[in-house]
Amino acid sequence: MKTDRRQLSTAEERRETVLRTAIGAFAARGYFGTTTTEVAKAAGISQAYVYRLFPNKEALFAAVVAHCFTRVRSAMERGAAAATSSEPQVVLDSMGDAYARLISDNDLLLVQLHAQAAAVSEPVIQEAVRAGYARMVEYVRGASGGSEEQVQRFFATGMLCHLIVSLDVTSVDAPWTRTLGAGIAHY
Protein backbone atom coordinates (compact mmCIF):
# COMPACT_ATOMS: atom_id res chain seq x y z
CA MET A 1 0.00 0.00 0.00
CA LYS A 2 1.32 3.36 -1.03
CA THR A 3 1.16 6.23 1.43
CA ASP A 4 1.35 9.88 0.58
CA ARG A 5 4.41 11.45 2.10
CA ARG A 6 4.39 15.09 2.97
CA GLN A 7 7.10 16.87 1.05
CA LEU A 8 8.87 19.42 3.20
CA SER A 9 9.94 22.63 1.59
CA THR A 10 13.58 23.42 1.35
CA ALA A 11 15.17 26.26 3.29
CA GLU A 12 15.42 28.23 0.03
CA GLU A 13 11.70 27.76 -0.66
CA ARG A 14 10.90 28.86 2.88
CA ARG A 15 13.22 31.82 2.47
CA GLU A 16 11.32 32.89 -0.67
CA THR A 17 8.01 32.45 1.15
CA VAL A 18 9.25 34.59 4.03
CA LEU A 19 10.45 37.28 1.61
CA ARG A 20 7.13 37.39 -0.25
CA THR A 21 5.22 37.48 3.03
CA ALA A 22 7.55 40.06 4.55
CA ILE A 23 6.86 42.44 1.67
CA GLY A 24 3.23 42.69 2.79
CA ALA A 25 4.15 43.01 6.46
CA PHE A 26 6.79 45.69 5.90
CA ALA A 27 4.55 47.51 3.40
CA ALA A 28 1.80 47.78 6.01
CA ARG A 29 3.90 49.07 8.90
CA GLY A 30 7.35 49.91 7.60
CA TYR A 31 10.72 48.75 8.81
CA PHE A 32 10.44 50.31 12.23
CA GLY A 33 6.84 49.23 12.87
CA THR A 34 7.11 45.61 11.77
CA THR A 35 8.37 42.82 14.01
CA THR A 36 9.89 39.53 12.97
CA THR A 37 7.09 37.89 14.98
CA GLU A 38 4.54 39.45 12.61
CA VAL A 39 6.50 38.27 9.57
CA ALA A 40 6.80 34.74 11.01
CA LYS A 41 3.10 34.57 11.79
CA ALA A 42 2.15 35.77 8.30
CA ALA A 43 4.52 33.20 6.75
CA GLY A 44 3.17 30.41 8.93
CA ILE A 45 6.51 29.65 10.56
CA SER A 46 8.10 30.24 13.93
CA GLN A 47 10.06 33.37 14.73
CA ALA A 48 13.01 31.09 15.51
CA TYR A 49 12.86 29.78 11.94
CA VAL A 50 12.87 33.35 10.60
CA TYR A 51 16.12 33.82 12.55
CA ARG A 52 17.52 30.61 11.07
CA LEU A 53 16.95 32.10 7.62
CA PHE A 54 17.96 35.69 8.44
CA PRO A 55 20.30 36.64 11.30
CA ASN A 56 18.26 39.71 12.30
CA LYS A 57 15.48 42.06 11.23
CA GLU A 58 17.91 44.30 9.35
CA ALA A 59 19.11 41.37 7.24
CA LEU A 60 15.51 40.32 6.58
CA PHE A 61 14.53 43.81 5.48
CA ALA A 62 17.68 44.18 3.36
CA ALA A 63 16.75 40.88 1.65
CA VAL A 64 13.21 42.21 1.08
CA VAL A 65 14.69 45.35 -0.47
CA ALA A 66 16.91 43.24 -2.75
CA HIS A 67 13.91 41.08 -3.68
CA CYS A 68 11.93 44.21 -4.61
CA PHE A 69 14.81 45.48 -6.75
CA THR A 70 14.80 42.11 -8.51
CA ARG A 71 11.11 42.58 -9.31
CA VAL A 72 11.79 46.09 -10.59
CA ARG A 73 14.67 44.81 -12.73
CA SER A 74 12.42 42.13 -14.24
CA ALA A 75 9.84 44.78 -15.12
CA MET A 76 12.55 46.94 -16.70
CA GLU A 77 13.75 43.98 -18.75
CA ARG A 78 10.22 43.34 -19.99
CA GLY A 79 9.86 47.03 -20.80
CA ALA A 80 13.15 47.14 -22.70
CA ALA A 81 12.17 44.03 -24.66
CA ALA A 82 8.81 45.59 -25.56
CA ALA A 83 10.34 48.83 -26.88
CA THR A 84 9.33 49.51 -30.47
CA SER A 85 12.76 50.87 -31.37
CA SER A 86 16.30 50.92 -30.02
CA GLU A 87 16.23 54.72 -29.73
CA PRO A 88 17.25 55.46 -26.10
CA GLN A 89 14.18 57.55 -25.28
CA VAL A 90 11.84 54.93 -26.71
CA VAL A 91 13.50 52.23 -24.58
CA LEU A 92 13.38 54.45 -21.49
CA ASP A 93 9.72 55.26 -22.09
CA SER A 94 8.90 51.57 -22.47
CA MET A 95 10.78 50.73 -19.27
CA GLY A 96 9.00 53.60 -17.52
CA ASP A 97 5.64 52.26 -18.64
CA ALA A 98 6.55 48.81 -17.30
CA TYR A 99 7.55 50.40 -13.99
CA ALA A 100 4.31 52.42 -13.81
CA ARG A 101 2.38 49.16 -14.19
CA LEU A 102 4.52 47.49 -11.53
CA ILE A 103 4.01 50.14 -8.85
CA SER A 104 0.28 49.76 -9.11
CA ASP A 105 1.16 46.96 -6.64
CA ASN A 106 0.97 49.12 -3.53
CA ASP A 107 3.03 46.71 -1.44
CA LEU A 108 6.03 47.07 -3.72
CA LEU A 109 5.71 50.84 -3.76
CA LEU A 110 5.32 51.01 0.02
CA VAL A 111 8.38 48.84 0.65
CA GLN A 112 10.42 51.10 -1.62
CA LEU A 113 9.22 54.19 0.22
CA HIS A 114 9.83 52.62 3.64
CA ALA A 115 13.29 51.45 2.54
CA GLN A 116 14.26 54.95 1.46
CA ALA A 117 13.04 56.36 4.77
CA ALA A 118 14.83 53.71 6.85
CA ALA A 119 18.02 54.18 4.81
CA VAL A 120 18.42 57.62 6.36
CA SER A 121 19.24 56.14 9.78
CA GLU A 122 19.97 52.44 9.23
CA PRO A 123 23.36 51.78 7.56
CA VAL A 124 22.57 48.17 6.55
CA ILE A 125 19.39 49.27 4.83
CA GLN A 126 21.11 52.27 3.29
CA GLU A 127 23.67 49.93 1.76
CA ALA A 128 20.94 47.61 0.43
CA VAL A 129 19.13 50.55 -1.18
CA ARG A 130 22.39 51.95 -2.58
CA ALA A 131 23.36 48.57 -4.03
CA GLY A 132 19.94 48.14 -5.59
CA TYR A 133 20.00 51.57 -7.20
CA ALA A 134 23.59 51.11 -8.37
CA ARG A 135 22.63 47.93 -10.22
CA MET A 136 19.42 49.49 -11.54
CA VAL A 137 21.09 52.65 -12.85
CA GLU A 138 23.74 50.60 -14.63
CA TYR A 139 21.11 48.30 -16.10
CA VAL A 140 18.97 51.21 -17.33
CA ARG A 141 22.04 52.94 -18.78
CA GLY A 142 23.16 49.81 -20.61
CA ALA A 143 19.74 48.64 -21.79
CA SER A 144 18.64 52.04 -23.04
CA GLY A 145 21.89 53.49 -24.30
CA GLY A 146 20.62 56.75 -22.83
CA SER A 147 22.78 59.72 -21.93
CA GLU A 148 23.57 60.62 -18.33
CA GLU A 149 20.88 63.30 -18.49
CA GLN A 150 18.28 60.90 -19.91
CA VAL A 151 19.02 58.26 -17.27
CA GLN A 152 18.91 60.86 -14.50
CA ARG A 153 15.58 62.18 -15.78
CA PHE A 154 14.27 58.60 -15.97
CA PHE A 155 14.98 58.05 -12.27
CA ALA A 156 13.73 61.50 -11.31
CA THR A 157 10.46 60.76 -13.09
CA GLY A 158 10.28 57.44 -11.24
CA MET A 159 10.54 59.29 -7.93
CA LEU A 160 7.82 61.66 -9.09
CA CYS A 161 5.70 58.61 -9.94
CA HIS A 162 6.11 57.43 -6.33
CA LEU A 163 4.74 60.76 -5.13
CA ILE A 164 1.88 60.78 -7.62
CA VAL A 165 0.80 57.25 -6.74
CA SER A 166 1.23 57.59 -2.97
CA LEU A 167 -0.84 60.80 -2.91
CA ASP A 168 -3.38 59.42 -5.43
CA VAL A 169 -2.92 62.65 -7.35
CA THR A 170 -5.10 61.42 -10.22
CA SER A 171 -8.15 61.49 -7.93
CA VAL A 172 -7.77 65.23 -7.25
CA ASP A 173 -8.53 67.74 -9.97
CA ALA A 174 -6.48 70.79 -9.04
CA PRO A 175 -3.82 72.89 -10.74
CA TRP A 176 -1.02 71.41 -8.62
CA THR A 177 -2.08 67.82 -9.40
CA ARG A 178 -2.30 68.54 -13.11
CA THR A 179 1.22 70.04 -12.94
CA LEU A 180 2.69 67.02 -11.16
CA GLY A 181 0.87 64.45 -13.28
CA ALA A 182 1.23 66.05 -16.72
CA GLY A 183 2.39 63.47 -19.24
CA ILE A 184 2.81 60.69 -16.69
CA ALA A 185 0.70 57.55 -17.09
CA HIS A 186 -0.34 55.39 -14.14
CA TYR A 187 -2.35 52.21 -13.93
Side-chain angles (χ1 to χ4, degrees):
M1 176 162 82
K2 187 176 181 180
T3 60
D4 289 332
R5 292 174 53 187
R6 182 173 169 223
Q7 184 174 351
L8 298 176
S9 60
T10 66
E12 189 57 36
E13 289 169 336
R14 284 283 174 109
R15 188 176 196 282
E16 287 298 313
T17 298
V18 170
L19 287 176
R20 283 191 309 275
T21 303
I23 289 171
F26 284 120
R29 297 181 41 128
Y31 171 74
F32 297 106
T34 303
T35 66
T36 55
T37 301
E38 292 167 330
V39 172
K41 185 176 178 182
I45 61 175
S46 70
Q47 184 181 23
Y49 197 76
V50 170
Y51 283 116
R52 286 183 62 198
L53 298 170
F54 303 93
N56 54 43
K57 185 171 113 172
E58 283 179 323
L60 171 59
F61 191 70
V64 166
V65 168
H67 182 78
C68 288
F69 272 109
T70 297
R71 287 184 60 198
V72 172
R73 167 75 181 257
S74 294
M76 296 294 166
E77 289 171 350
R78 288 190 302 276
T84 58
S85 126
S86 61
E87 175 67 33
Q89 195 57 55
V90 172
V91 176
L92 288 166
D93 289 346
S94 186
M95 287 192 293
D97 186 65
Y99 184 70
R101 291 177 190 281
L102 181 67
I103 63 170
S104 67
D105 170 356
N106 284 337
D107 284 353
L108 179 69
L109 174 63
L110 284 168
V111 168
Q112 290 182 40
L113 294 171
H114 287 305
Q116 291 169 7
V120 172
S121 61
E122 300 295 322
V124 170
I125 297 166
Q126 184 180 67
E127 186 51 39
V129 174
R130 277 182 181 168
Y133 271 104
R135 286 188 301 273
M136 194 60 55
V137 169
E138 292 310 317
Y139 173 74
V140 168
R141 180 193 334 270
S144 70
S147 68
E148 294 293 312
E149 183 181 334
Q150 286 174 306
V151 172
Q152 181 189 46
R153 192 175 322 110
F154 176 81
F155 281 93
T157 301
M159 293 298 148
L160 179 57
C161 288
H162 289 179
L163 180 65
I164 289 169
V165 172
S166 66
L167 297 179
D168 193 17
V169 166
T170 58
S171 70
V172 178
D173 185 23
W176 70 272
T177 61
R178 288 190 297 274
T179 298
L180 288 180
I184 298 177
H186 288 282
Y187 304 96

